[in-house]
Amino acid sequence: MSDFKNLGTQELKETKSQLLERYRNFQSRKITLDMTRGKPCPAQLDLAMGMLDGTDGIQYLAQDGTDCRNYGGLDGIPEAKALFADYMGVDVDEVIIGASSSLNMMHDTFMRAMVKGVTEKTTPWMKQSNIKFLCPSPGYDRHFFICEYLGIEMIKVDVRDDGPDMDHIEDLVAKDEGIKGIWCVPKYSNPTGIVYSDEVVDRLANMQVKAPDFRIFWDNAYAVHYLEDAPAELKNILSACKQAGNADRVLMWGSTSKISHAGSGIAMMAGSKANMDHAKKQMAFQTIGPDKLNQLRHVKFFKTMAGIEDHMQKHAAILKPKFDAVQTALENELAGKNIAEWSQPRGGYFVSLNTMEGCAGSVVDLAAGAGVKLTPAGSTFPYKKDPLDRNIRIAPSFPPLEDIHQAMELVGICIQMVSIEKLLSS
Amino acid sequence: MSDFKNLGTQELKETKSQLLERYRNFQSRKITLDMTRGKPCPAQLDLAMGMLDGTDGIQYLAQDGTDCRNYGGLDGIPEAKALFADYMGVDVDEVIIGASSSLNMMHDTFMRAMVKGVTEKTTPWMKQSNIKFLCPSPGYDRHFFICEYLGIEMIKVDVRDDGPDMDHIEDLVAKDEGIKGIWCVPKYSNPTGIVYSDEVVDRLANMQVKAPDFRIFWDNAYAVHYLEDAPAELKNILSACKQAGNADRVLMWGSTSKISHAGSGIAMMAGSKANMDHAKKQMAFQTIGPDKLNQLRHVKFFKTMAGIEDHMQKHAAILKPKFDAVQTALENELAGKNIAEWSQPRGGYFVSLNTMEGCAGSVVDLAAGAGVKLTPAGSTFPYKKDPLDRNIRIAPSFPPLEDIHQAMELVGICIQMVSIEKLLSS
């Protein structure tokens, strides 16, 4: 295919008219496809049905004799703590098992920081002024929504192939006491799919930080969510922070929402013992404890970290063809045309696509006009504003394979149409 | 038995020495009994095991086709909202189904009020000064802990047979804008067992309140937890508030923790549509939604409000003999002696006992010395301080019947010993 930027006006117009015909053909088929959210598909959810059946589903006694049907267990039953400490790469006293949502645990950590402060010795964020957060972008929209909701100023930081722009970050945090933290999705990042390099992890752990109550919000949502045979390596940031003498700098989260059942999984928080003790002390005012029956179900079903990894191979077998279909469709439509670039993720739930500047919003609108719903342009940036209007997040996990073929072909058509429009008008 | 206050020194001393012998006999038996918390006993928890078995436990499709194993459903699946709207006595758009803990929902409501305010038009409580809460006492310790944790000043209000002291309350709320709410456990109250009268409900709904962001925190934890054949009547406070033109004044909570499984039940919040819409808007930043599989299990198992009521009869059949045992033991040990009075609850989870002034702490300590653990004296009051040091909360649900006989006999002995000590020293 030829580079669109080398085509003359006439060629562009002809190509556009061919594309318009294909687009109208799509419209006439009256399809309705939703590619907006990183939801598991039913076949993935079926994989964990064994968790609910008669064998594991009616178990209620934990190893230590705890009746999981009764009150108690603020930070989890011992076998769940053991399994998910392993999952998070921390010691058992460095993990808290929560309810089903890690987002909920992150939100609540913000709320406690706002009202009570990050430690007993620091001032509540509500009593400080000009609170800010670093937001590597494109990133996870719900992270940014929490900051916006709480009136925390978001500072955009670029994302590179090996993680966020560390030069920029080091410069900012060293001098601004108002910067209280950074959002990180370190592995198969949402939406870029990148994995933080060892160097980035080390620099985050070691950097000079002005605010005494600065925290890295480390949302390791896709720790074992690989599309290949083996997971990418991610350096353990808690170990790195300890080594740097900054053990309390990082708070980590994970969940089984995309391992067992979304919304009915197990969420967990991890960090230094001091951080976990502080969180537990505060959580004791909030709850007597989360659903322990669900914890037990998870442990009975997965048993070990190896059990989780085996299970994730089954997820990968379902997801890999869907991610491949996205790549194939984008290659077919866009290769060599110099109007878009996109990620080839080795894990996670998204493909991140960049159009020419100023085109993403129009592409999303155009696709919607033919029945394919994409995540609104801008969603992956603070305040829902992509300054270059070029990033589109594609979520191929939920729709059936055939739908993805169709949807991505249409997306390819729309990108070409909008790009030609832009080239013609410039 | 004779009134201890009419006994002479010699008689008191003789009685004391007999009691001491019985106390030492208890000590020699080296028993360990825990009467501290209102936890269901295993036989009660067994009642809902059908919820986890192969029939109901593997269901995952809601009536409207929602796959309950996937994300979504911030405020609950339709059939759960319908059932628990009925349970709470409200319309379907006046209820939110939460995760497993109503305490968690109350705590989070406080946090949102602190950070964002009770409505979009009122000032966050953190930005106001001298925030106060009314605390009918004796009351539920975990309610008071939330206020203490957040630095909200607690004002003690007396509890009478028909509810809190309304004259006192009306006087306070009419003139103090700092008073932002009141804690209420309106039915089979913790620990007194009283039920709010219609008049009290109406006065709460109609009273003049200075603070525009005042809320009644209505924790109807024991709505169907009766020990008799039929529940006591409680006037619907949301209806009363609407009638009074104060629809947004009350926020209500309930849970199935003591209906199905404690810690693995369903919690719910109810109130005016405006209040629920506001809460949902804020909760959308916290979570994508609670565990819908657990909601579905509950609906499949209980089906209707009548199903819940039938189920509670089975709970009552287990609990009634335990509550009777408390009454019998206290009668046997204390009747006619004029040193204690205690509640005869018709529902709920507690018996509330008042000793002579200044004796409760010593009784709890003395009982502990012979192996019976009671809730620490003062726990039922703000700041854990019972100004008269006389209230003891007895929780008979969890221990086996035989243990309750023993424990309550010992409690009776301890009360007599401490009372005599006091009479002798005065």
Side-chain angles (χ1 to χ4, degrees), chain A residues 38-42 45-46 49 52-54 57-60 67-71 99-101 103-104 107-108 111-112 114-116 124 126-127 140 142 145-146 148-151 257-258 261-264 282 284-294 297 398, chain B residues 38-42 45-46 49 52-54 57-60 67-71 99-101 103-104 107-108 111-112 114-116 124 126-127 140 142 145-146 148-151 257-258 261-264 282 284-294 297 398:
Chain A
K39 290 167 66 170
C41 65
L45 301 168
D46 286 343
M49 282 305 287
L52 306 176
D53 82 5
I58 61 168
Q59 304 285 332
Y60 60 85
D67 188 334
C68 293
R69 303 168 305 177
N70 219 324
Y71 287 114
S100 58
S101 161
L103 183 71
N104 200 320
H107 168 278
D108 290 0
M111 292 298 266
R112 293 192 299 261
M114 294 293 280
V115 174
K116 299 289 288 186
M126 284 275 286
K127 302 280 189 194
Y140 179 34
R142 290 184 188 271
F145 293 166
I146 290 175
E148 192 170 359
Y149 167 60
L150 297 177
S257 275
K258 296 183 183 82
H261 292 135
S264 312
Q282 296 186 306
F285 295 100
Q286 182 178 29
T287 180
I288 306 174
D291 184 342
K292 295 184 294 302
L293 286 172
N294 202 29
R297 260 177 230 129
F398 190 79
Chain B
K39 289 166 66 168
C41 66
L45 301 170
D46 286 343
M49 282 305 286
L52 306 177
D53 82 5
I58 60 168
Q59 305 284 333
Y60 61 86
D67 188 334
C68 294
R69 304 169 303 178
N70 220 325
Y71 287 114
S100 58
S101 161
L103 182 71
N104 200 319
H107 167 278
D108 291 358
M111 293 298 266
R112 292 192 298 260
M114 295 293 280
V115 173
K116 299 288 289 186
M126 282 276 285
K127 302 279 189 194
Y140 179 32
R142 290 184 188 269
F145 293 165
I146 290 175
E148 192 171 359
Y149 166 60
L150 297 177
S257 276
K258 294 182 183 83
H261 293 136
S264 314
Q282 296 186 307
F285 295 101
Q286 183 178 30
T287 179
I288 305 174
D291 184 342
K292 294 184 296 300
L293 286 171
N294 202 30
R297 261 177 228 128
F398 189 78

Side-chain angles (χ1 to χ4, degrees), chain B residues 404-421:
Chain B
I404 294 170
H405 285 297
Q406 285 195 59
M408 293 314 299
E409 183 187 343
L410 178 72
V411 170
I413 291 168
C414 294
I415 291 169
Q416 293 175 80
M417 288 172 72
V418 173
S419 303
I420 290 174
E421 202 65 47

Side-chain angles (χ1 to χ4, degrees), chain B residues 188-202:
Chain B
Y188 311 130
S189 191
N190 174 354
T192 56
I194 61 132
V195 180
Y196 285 24
S197 69
D198 291 1
E199 190 202 328
V200 164
V201 172
D202 280 328

Side-chain angles (χ1 to χ4, degrees), chain B residues 8 27 231 337 384 411:
Chain B
Q27 281 186 311
K337 292 179 181 166
K384 296 180 214 169
V411 170

